[in-house]
Amino acid sequence: MITIALSKGRIFEETLPLLRTAGIEVLEDPEKSRKLILATNQPEVRVLVVRATDVPTYVQYGGADLGITGKDTLLEHGTQGLVSPLDLQIAKCRISVAVRSDFDYASAVRQGSRLRVATKYVAIAREFFATKGVHVDLIKLYGSMELAPLTGLADAIVDLVSTGNTLKANHLVEVEHIMDISSRLVVNQAALKLKQAPVRAIIDAFAKALAK
Ligand code: PRP
């Protein structure tokens, strides 16, 4: 049995065409079913529906052989026990620093002030500001980061930006582009050896679909 961990929403929808090119049809729609294990047209391939942040965990510990996860989630989790052979070029966005439009970020950085930064992406934010030599106090949040600068909880946020509409609607502006984000295929290191033929076949089919 080959198990693929996917999260609902954008990654799931954008992965279906890739799976189809690999000859795998998921037989149920996770938006309509409460089932968490979905069968496919291939009796030896199944799909797990997991929280986006849990995909690397399932794959690392072998609960799934393969998974699809954002680069953001992967960097936060770490790559131990995982191989990440392909950038699938789906669910593209960027991770940025944003502040209130009336906050003078450039001066704060220039003066070496200690910035309070709220984010779900603590590892990415820590690394980014350490490289810049900016001292930060990181405040971990799990969502609605945009509220932090509006309520005085933080000076800045580190968050995903796609269209920029959420920032705009909350009077925030992007002041640093940290990195581009897209989804990655991740594979359990042991599965790559123990289930080499079927796992390789899926990786190769994805790679072929991407090259089209
Ligand atoms: C992400 C992100 C922003 C929003 C950006 O949230 O945290 O809030 O999307 O998109 P935009 O630039 O197109 O407006 P998401 O909807 O993924 O939910 P989350 O708060 O659970 O991360």
Side-chain angles (χ1 to χ4, degrees):
M1 178 63 75
I2 296 293
T3 304
I4 306 173
L6 295 178
S7 53
K8 277 204 264 189
R10 210 169 142 198
I11 287 186
F12 196 92
E13 280 153 28
E14 294 189 27
T15 299
L16 287 185
L18 288 174
L19 285 173
R20 221 166 272 140
T21 328
I24 301 165
E25 292 275 350
V26 183
L27 299 178
E28 262 172 302
D29 178 354
E31 299 297 341
K32 293 189 184 133
S33 160
R34 301 294 293 176
K35 277 193 196 164
L36 298 174
I37 300 180
L38 309 179
T40 73
N41 63 333
Q42 299 199 13
E44 288 305 307
V45 180
R46 63 181 186 171
V47 166
L48 303 187
V49 181
V50 306
R51 281 287 291 265
T53 44
D54 292 335
V55 168
T57 309
Y58 272 89
V59 178
Q60 178 185 354
Y61 293 107
D65 302 302
L66 304 112
I68 294 173
T69 184
K71 183 182 175 187
D72 51 328
T73 307
L74 190 58
L75 289 177
E76 283 300 311
H77 176 88
T79 54
Q80 208 186 353
L82 298 172
V83 181
S84 173
L86 286 178
D87 179 348
L88 299 177
Q89 299 286 337
I90 58 172
K92 286 186 179 182
C93 56
R94 57 190 182 273
I95 192 157
S96 296
V97 180
V99 298
R100 272 166 64 142
S101 46
D102 58 1
F103 180 78
D104 190 350
Y105 175 79
S107 296
V109 168
R110 205 177 323 114
Q111 287 158 12
S113 331
R114 216 179 161 84
L115 279 184
R116 275 178 312 152
V117 178
T119 187
K120 183 152 86 173
Y121 304 101
V122 173
I124 293 172
R126 183 178 297 118
E127 163 84 22
F128 174 74
F129 286 110
T131 306
K132 267 182 84 77
V134 174
H135 295 289
V136 290
D137 290 318
L138 293 168
I139 301 170
K140 168 89 182 179
L141 291 177
Y142 293 88
S144 300
M145 261 85 77
E146 295 82 7
L147 280 174
L150 304 180
T151 55
L153 184 69
D155 303 309
I157 59 171
V158 167
D159 195 11
L160 296 179
V161 181
S162 175
T163 60
N165 289 341
T166 309
L167 291 182
K168 205 182 282 173
N170 292 291
H171 313 290
L172 301 178
V173 290
E174 225 173 325
V175 286
E176 303 260 20
H177 174 168
I178 299 183
M179 67 177 81
D180 287 324
I181 299 291
S182 56
S183 293
R184 311 287 150 138
L185 179 68
V186 286
V187 184
N188 175 276
Q189 228 160 29
L192 196 54
K193 292 200 187 100
L194 300 173
K195 301 182 183 179
Q196 198 173 27
V199 167
R200 275 262 158 238
I202 293 176
I203 298 172
D204 291 347
F206 276 16
K208 217 181 272 173
L210 286 173
K212 274 187 187 159

